[in-house]
């Protein structure tokens, strides 16, 4: 549960190593990422990520100002 969108002054890159993650943003439809998938977003846009499945997903998340 998120009380509000996450926002910050950065560019964000996520790469999924294990499991699945659904990325929700305030401007686009949700997208589910699986191992080997990646996404690049402007961190100023509201976003939230939810791990799918019984185990937590493992991702590489890079934020750069």
């Amino acid at each position: 549960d998120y009380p509000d969108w996450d926002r910050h002054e950065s560019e964000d890159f996520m790469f999924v190593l294990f499991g699945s993650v659904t990325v929700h943003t305030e401007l686009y439809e949700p997208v589910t990422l699986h191992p080997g998938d990646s996404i690049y977003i402007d961190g100023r846009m509201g976003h939230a990520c939810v791990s799918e499945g019984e185990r937590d997903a493992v991702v590489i998340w890079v934020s750069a100002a």
Side-chain angles (χ1 to χ4, degrees), residues 37-48:
D37 292 341
S38 63
I39 192 168
Y40 182 84
I41 64 169
D42 183 334
R44 296 173 295 180
M45 174 180 56
H47 58 280

Side-chain angles (χ1 to χ4, degrees), residues 15-20 33-38 58:
F15 180 84
V16 180
L17 297 171
F18 174 83
S20 299
L33 306 175
H34 303 282
D37 292 341
S38 63
V58 177

Side-chain angles (χ1 to χ4, degrees), residues 41-58:
I41 64 169
D42 183 334
R44 296 173 295 180
M45 174 180 56
H47 58 280
C49 300
V50 179
S51 182
E52 302 291 344
E54 295 180 15
R55 295 179 53 189
D56 288 340
V58 177

